[in-house]
Amino acid sequence: MKHKIAPSLLAADFLHLQQEVEMINNSDADWLHMDIMDGVFVPNISFGFPVLEAVKPILKKPMDVHLMIVEPQKFIREVAAAGAHMMTIHYEVSPHLHRTVSAIKDAGMKAGVTLNPHMPVHLLEDIIHDIDMVLLMSVNPGFGGQTFIEHSVEKTARLKDMITRKGLNTLIEVDGGVNMQTGKRLLTAGADVLVTGSFVFKSSNPIQTIKELKNL
Ligand code: DX5
Ligand code: ZN
């Protein structure tokens, strides 16, 4: 399967959100990645459900929602109503992860689980069968434009081994500091979906940049 590209709206020009979403619609992007932050789990606040709701009617690609918030289980209904295709929550804030994953799927969405850079992939041994995607953070969550953490390449390969060994087809998405070089290495290690924020939106020709990432 050809890998997917999920540009992160966090790096877009919020004053011209409609043009930015139309650019995504006209590009080779597979999904639009939307980062919700609460200022508690991560040291930043991004945007919330009203922005997802505003984007929903014009977006022609699946919405990939990454929640960097405590108690994400409280907002499953809101995320589904905002039009999310994939709801991804953090392992670190989910003591009843199996219950939350089941509730996300019952709400009609795909379920993803995210690991922070220091969290080992073996933590997922007993939940990986139940989820559609693992999101590996390749920066500490909270901000766009950070430097890629090198260890993420080897970690991606270890997660891919686990998924293959179990005969699953769980997707691996990687988020943070992705560009042509880091993206290529992640794909070689087994990544299926690349999230890219600043590398796409701050480039002089985002449509062309997305095309090049898609052709990696
Ligand atoms: C960071 C977010 C990312 C961010 C990536 O906490 O989860 O999705 O937008 O931005 P870049 O690609 O600039 O590192
Ligand atoms: Zn993200």
Side-chain angles (χ1 to χ4, degrees), residues 8 10 33-37 64-68 90 114 135 137 141 173 175-176 195:
S8 166
L10 191 64
H33 185 85
M34 309 273 271
D35 290 299
I36 300 188
M37 305 178 187
D64 176 35
V65 180
H66 174 197
L67 291 151
M68 285 160 273
H90 270 259
T114 311
L135 169 50
M137 289 309 304
E173 181 177 58
D175 183 4
V195 176

Side-chain angles (χ1 to χ4, degrees), residues 190-210:
D192 303 289
V193 188
L194 299 176
V195 176
T196 66
S198 26
F199 187 67
V200 163
F201 283 97
K202 309 295 186 213
S203 76
S204 56
N205 186 344
I207 296 240
Q208 179 62 24
T209 303
I210 293 169

Side-chain angles (χ1 to χ4, degrees), residues 71-146:
E71 301 188 305
Q73 73 281 358
K74 286 187 177 171
F75 299 100
I76 294 170
R77 200 178 334 147
E78 285 81 352
V79 175
H85 164 77
M86 175 80 71
M87 174 169 170
T88 301
I89 57 171
H90 270 259
Y91 179 92
E92 300 83 6
V93 288
S94 303
H96 303 287
L97 187 56
H98 185 275
R99 179 186 293 148
T100 305
V101 161
S102 302
I104 291 171
K105 293 197 288 192
D106 287 348
M109 295 178 284
K110 303 272 187 201
V113 172
T114 311
L115 292 180
N116 270 340
H118 71 290
M119 301 298 275
V121 295
H122 70 75
L123 291 169
L124 301 175
E125 283 276 356
D126 292 297
I127 191 73
I128 192 112
H129 319 75
D130 298 302
I131 62 181
D132 299 290
M133 187 173 82
V134 176
L135 169 50
L136 295 180
M137 289 309 304
S138 42
V139 297
N140 287 292
F143 302 91
Q146 301 183 81

